[in-house]
Amino acid sequence: MKIRAATVLDIPALATVYRDSVKAIAPQRYSPEQVEAWAYFPSDTEAFNDFIFHPTTFVAELDGMIVGFSGVEENGHIASLYVHSNYNRQGIGSRLLETVIEYAQLHQISRLYTEASEFSRALFEKFGFQVSQTENIIREGVWFHRYLLEILLSWFSRSEEHTSELQSQFRISYAVFCLKK
């Protein structure tokens, strides 16, 4: 599996991953109205592009195909974590979350937080995130219940070799971030 920074050329594949994962998995715990409202989001091209490029978004590729993505903002907000339904439970979400945590540590972000669905909550908790509260929101006129989770990252001394390796890994992301500004 290859993890890299998202590019503009990835938008159609990212929209497909988003939409397909919601439509395949959400019906297990959400109403048909909630599924449709949630899956509609990529249709708003401007909002979806902002959702992908306002944070630093990483994509997971298998054999050249995008199978997942996760985005993190400079303030520690994890804006997204989606894995295509055909690739669930194969470690892709974990690898993306590990990448986000490494990125946060490299950029000295001390707290990560997110809004999680019924499905992603368990993955975040596996990594030590804790529910701080719950909330109900309206999306496309439909109510959703979600969990607010957070984790405080502990700091530890890194070897120069490890720091250099992480800096190389994220050099492309930094270049993409600079181009977005």
Side-chain angles (χ1 to χ4, degrees):
M1 176 175 16
K2 177 181 176 184
I3 305 288
R4 62 170 177 80
T7 70
V8 174
L9 297 176
D10 297 327
I11 289 293
L14 297 174
T16 297
V17 167
Y18 181 101
R19 194 175 292 112
D20 289 354
S21 69
V22 169
K23 286 190 172 191
I25 298 168
Q28 298 168 30
R29 295 202 182 158
Y30 293 91
S31 72
E33 295 79 18
Q34 288 172 314
V35 173
E36 285 307 311
W38 193 355
Y40 175 80
F41 180 58
S43 300
D44 182 342
T45 306
E46 186 176 330
F48 190 74
N49 283 348
D50 188 54
F51 175 69
I52 298 299
F53 293 114
H54 175 72
T56 297
T57 297
F58 300 99
V59 299
E61 284 184 332
L62 283 175
D63 301 321
M65 186 172 102
I66 295 175
V67 295
F69 65 93
S70 185
V72 61
E73 298 173 4
E74 289 179 48
N75 67 359
H77 178 240
I78 299 175
S80 61
L81 179 57
Y82 287 85
V83 175
H84 193 283
S85 60
N86 293 342
Y87 297 91
N88 282 339
R89 305 223 176 264
Q90 296 180 29
I92 295 166
S94 291
R95 184 63 190 106
L96 284 164
L97 194 48
E98 287 169 359
T99 300
V100 164
I101 291 169
E102 289 172 359
Y103 179 87
Q105 290 174 326
L106 180 67
H107 290 86
Q108 298 181 352
I109 298 170
S110 60
R111 174 182 169 259
L112 290 173
Y113 66 99
T114 194
E115 303 85 16
S117 69
E118 296 287 342
F119 298 101
S120 60
R121 176 183 174 185
L123 177 60
F124 285 104
E125 289 177 333
K126 172 182 157 185
F127 278 82
F129 284 74
Q130 295 186 2
V131 174
S132 59
Q133 60 184 351
T134 61
E135 69 178 2
N136 293 308
I137 61 159
I138 297 177
R139 179 177 283 171
E140 298 298 319
V142 180
W143 284 97
F144 287 85
H145 181 79
R146 64 186 186 180
Y147 302 90
L148 305 179
L149 293 106
E150 67 180 345
I151 188 172
L152 298 177
L153 300 177
S154 59
W155 295 102
F156 55 90
S157 177
R158 295 181 181 278
S159 69
E160 285 184 31
E161 181 180 317
H162 187 153
T163 300
S164 176
E165 178 184 319
L166 286 174
Q167 287 171 336
S168 295
Q169 182 180 357
F170 295 112
R171 198 167 281 137
I172 293 172
S173 298
Y174 181 72
V176 169
F177 174 75
C178 289
L179 289 174
K180 290 189 285 185
K181 285 197 168 204

